Amino acid sequence: MRCVPARMGSPLHITVFRERTIELIAPRAGGLYVDVTTGLGGHTEALLEASGPDGRVVCIDRDPTAIERSRERLVRFGDRVEFHQTTMSDVRRALAGRRVDGLVADLGVSSPQLDEAERGMSFRFDGPLDMRMDLEGPVTAWSLVRDLREDALANVIYEYGEERRSRPIARSIKRAIEAGEMETTKQLASAIYRVMGPPRFGQIDPATRTFQALRIAVNDELGELERMLDALPEVLADGGVAAVISFHSLEDRIVKHTLRAMECVEVMTKKPLEPDDDECRENPRARSAKLRAARRLPRDTQEDA
Ligand SMILES: C[S@@+](CC[C@H](N)C(=O)[O-])C[C@H]1O[C@@H](n2cnc3c(N)ncnc32)[C@H](O)[C@@H]1O
């Protein structure tokens, strides 16, 4: 499978599983779809193209810059697309009673979010300790590491980063705060390297797991995912398909168990779809991607019409 690069001015984000998502959802003319993680609009664009001339897509993203960029990219589709700057857990309200023939969730962060230093999401660039996708929530990475007690911080790093050395890392972060050395992503990375050792060429950066953990906590990513999945039985039309792309085991576990436990859907992917070698070469971010999909079974006559 080939990925289609989504070029929007400078930031580049390659859409993961673009074709396979469309194959599973099988959009049709006149259908209604929702993309709860619009990002730079790669999946939305594919849904609109496949559902022409009059299929519609409701776009959701919590990041105002993502909404702005996808709006520019998708302008040629006119009123076939509508935008909501909100969270995926708010999907019911955004749909306002409408049921959709397909839903896409491409979880996590986009390449621009990672690559723009001022978002503070990456140890590769020096930026403020922020990590908020919506740029406005009350909790930042800085307030989190400052306000959590050392043991609670270690628990976050362990649970959301699956980082075995969470306790010494939390201690090192707290020491750096006391020393007044915890304002930037590079300072956070240094506190982690003091425990884990410096990054080595060709190996995963030792700060990866801790950064992931803090980002998940700042944005309540797992809670958001759970609440969005809870809405599926209500928002999917009969036969409607939800396709969810996850990037780490915590997310994939939630998707797998929630879809399996849902009586009103049929799981379409007994095993998750994974990227092939071409896709991984072209897009290193795809390496850990897993795609699962489920179809809404028809409501019986007793159920809400
Ligand atoms: C991986 S990107 C999506 C890329 C998109 N599929 C494309 O091809 O351009 C994930 C996007 O989801 C958004 N996002 C993540 N969690 C969210 C949530 N809980 N609610 C709404 N948007 C969310 C992020 O802001 C980001 O723009």
Side-chain angles (χ1 to χ4, degrees):
M1 177 215 157
R2 309 291 295 170
C3 293
V4 178
R7 268 182 205 285
M8 306 276 320
S10 56
L12 176 76
H13 178 91
I14 301 178
T15 297
V16 179
F17 291 136
R18 181 173 160 130
E19 277 86 9
R20 283 197 257 183
T21 303
I22 294 303
E23 280 161 22
L24 286 161
I25 294 182
R28 57 171 175 82
L32 177 66
Y33 303 89
V34 62
D35 184 345
V36 297
T37 52
T38 299
L40 296 200
H43 285 106
T44 301
E45 180 181 66
L47 287 168
L48 287 162
E49 283 171 354
S51 65
D54 56 353
R56 293 173 52 85
V57 180
V58 176
C59 287
I60 291 174
D61 203 294
R62 70 195 304 179
D63 179 350
T65 55
I67 292 289
E68 216 174 281
R69 286 174 177 152
S70 54
R71 204 190 279 280
E72 272 173 40
R73 176 184 190 173
L74 302 166
V75 73
R76 70 190 160 102
F77 295 101
D79 64 4
R80 291 179 57 203
V81 54
E82 72 181 54
F83 296 89
H84 298 261
Q85 191 220 321
T86 187
T87 55
M88 64 171 76
S89 60
D90 197 27
V91 60
R92 282 190 193 86
R93 201 189 52 81
L95 289 174
R98 293 170 293 178
R99 285 180 177 151
V100 293
D101 302 299
L103 173 148
V104 178
D106 176 16
L107 303 172
V109 282
S110 64
S111 301
Q113 286 171 331
L114 279 176
D115 293 347
E116 287 165 10
E118 65 275 15
R119 316 282 311 227
M121 295 213 192
S122 173
F123 42 80
R124 289 183 292 127
F125 309 101
D126 206 11
L129 270 188
D130 192 318
M131 300 197 188
R132 290 170 301 176
M133 289 188 206
D134 63 4
L135 311 174
E136 64 186 15
V139 180
T140 64
W142 159 242
S143 72
L144 194 77
V145 296
R146 180 196 60 199
D147 295 344
L148 285 180
R149 284 178 24 186
E150 187 180 309
D151 54 348
L153 179 58
N155 288 346
V156 165
I157 296 170
Y158 182 74
E159 270 180 43
Y160 296 158
E162 300 182 291
E163 171 58 70
R164 283 198 225 136
R165 307 205 60 201
S166 57
R167 298 213 171 277
I169 290 174
R171 197 169 315 128
S172 178
I173 292 174
K174 286 295 187 185
R175 280 201 190 128
I177 293 173
E178 278 163 26
E181 292 167 1
M182 188 48 67
E183 273 165 27
T184 68
T185 46
K186 287 284 180 199
Q187 287 177 322
L188 172 60
S190 298
I192 300 165
Y193 299 151
R194 278 196 277 280
V195 175
M196 304 288 285
R200 290 174 204 279
F201 183 74
Q203 290 186 5
I204 291 179
D205 192 290
T208 305
R209 290 171 180 276
T210 302
F211 269 71
Q212 172 188 299
L214 296 179
R215 198 201 74 214
I216 289 175
V218 165
N219 296 289
D220 185 22
E221 290 179 33
L222 302 182
E224 274 291 312
L225 173 60
E226 282 167 353
R227 292 190 291 278
M228 185 276 291
L229 292 171
D230 278 352
L232 287 182
E234 194 178 322
V235 301
L236 286 177
D238 290 0
V241 171
V244 185
I245 301 166
S246 62
F247 290 88
H248 53 76
S249 54
L250 300 169
E251 287 171 344
D252 184 54
R253 217 172 293 149
I254 292 173
V255 178
K256 175 169 130 185
H257 292 305
T258 310
L259 294 183
R260 274 193 190 160
M262 234 172 232
E263 285 177 5
C264 62
V265 304
E266 163 203 10
V267 175
M268 300 163 74
T269 45
K270 298 293 172 231
K271 285 198 171 156
L273 304 185
E274 295 187 11
D276 58 29
D277 291 347
D278 274 359
E279 189 165 14
C280 293
R281 253 192 306 278
E282 192 174 346
N283 184 10
R285 189 179 155 266
R287 265 180 303 201
S288 53
K290 288 192 162 70
L291 168 56
R292 293 184 188 269
R295 181 183 288 115
R296 178 68 164 95
L297 296 171
R299 291 163 173 81
D300 62 35
T301 44
Q302 311 302 317
E303 248 183 288
D304 53 349

